[in-house]
Amino acid sequence: MWRLLRRWPVAAMSSGGEAQLLSLDFEVFGKVQGVFFRKHTQKEAKRLGLAGWVENTPQGTVRGQLQGAGAQVRVMQAWLRDTGSPKSKIDQAQFNNQKQIQRREFSDFQIIK
């Protein structure tokens, strides 16, 4: 049994047994503006219990920041990379500045106009 326990990712847990908080920036490329991408991103982030923000860029991309438990952040990364809004077409998603944080800087997930 000890071998099985050692296989679990230790870095994902804090000493108190709670999931560690992660923060990361993202930018999504493709047909992601004019297809309710930000609204669907907000809905999915809130469903996963994440905080942060999302906005359109002048370059036609969508960018933002995610903060929350590591497992939920990874689920959201996959959603941004592979799913998006129903009418979007994602060419690429980039993730940068991933770091562990002690507490969230945001109370919820906001769309920036």
Side-chain angles (χ1 to χ4, degrees):
M1 181 157 177
W2 175 248
R3 290 176 200 244
L4 289 175
L5 291 175
R6 289 188 50 123
R7 294 181 69 187
W8 290 100
V10 176
M13 302 298 281
S14 68
S15 59
E18 297 178 14
Q20 288 186 347
L21 295 176
L22 293 180
S23 176
L24 64 80
D25 300 334
F26 66 87
E27 187 165 9
V28 184
F29 300 79
K31 183 181 178 189
V32 293
Q33 289 191 8
V35 292
F36 298 98
F37 196 91
R38 292 176 301 159
K39 185 71 173 171
H40 284 272
T41 300
Q42 180 187 49
K43 182 179 177 182
E44 184 67 7
K46 286 185 174 193
R47 185 185 74 78
L48 292 169
L50 299 174
W53 55 271
V54 63
E55 70 179 356
N56 286 337
T57 70
Q59 296 78 27
T61 65
V62 171
R63 70 176 176 186
Q65 187 174 82
L66 303 171
Q67 294 183 345
Q72 282 74 25
V73 168
R74 285 187 288 281
V75 169
M76 189 68 190
Q77 283 180 278
W79 186 91
L80 289 165
R81 186 178 49 247
D82 303 325
T83 305
S85 66
K87 296 189 179 198
S88 66
K89 183 185 178 311
I90 300 165
D91 293 336
Q92 177 185 7
Q94 294 180 352
F95 303 98
N96 299 299
N97 302 321
Q98 181 173 315
K99 60 186 174 187
Q100 291 182 2
I101 56 175
Q102 295 299 313
R103 62 183 169 276
R104 295 177 187 198
E105 299 169 24
F106 307 100
S107 60
D108 62 358
F109 196 91
Q110 294 291 317
I111 295 173
I112 298 176
K113 304 274 180 191

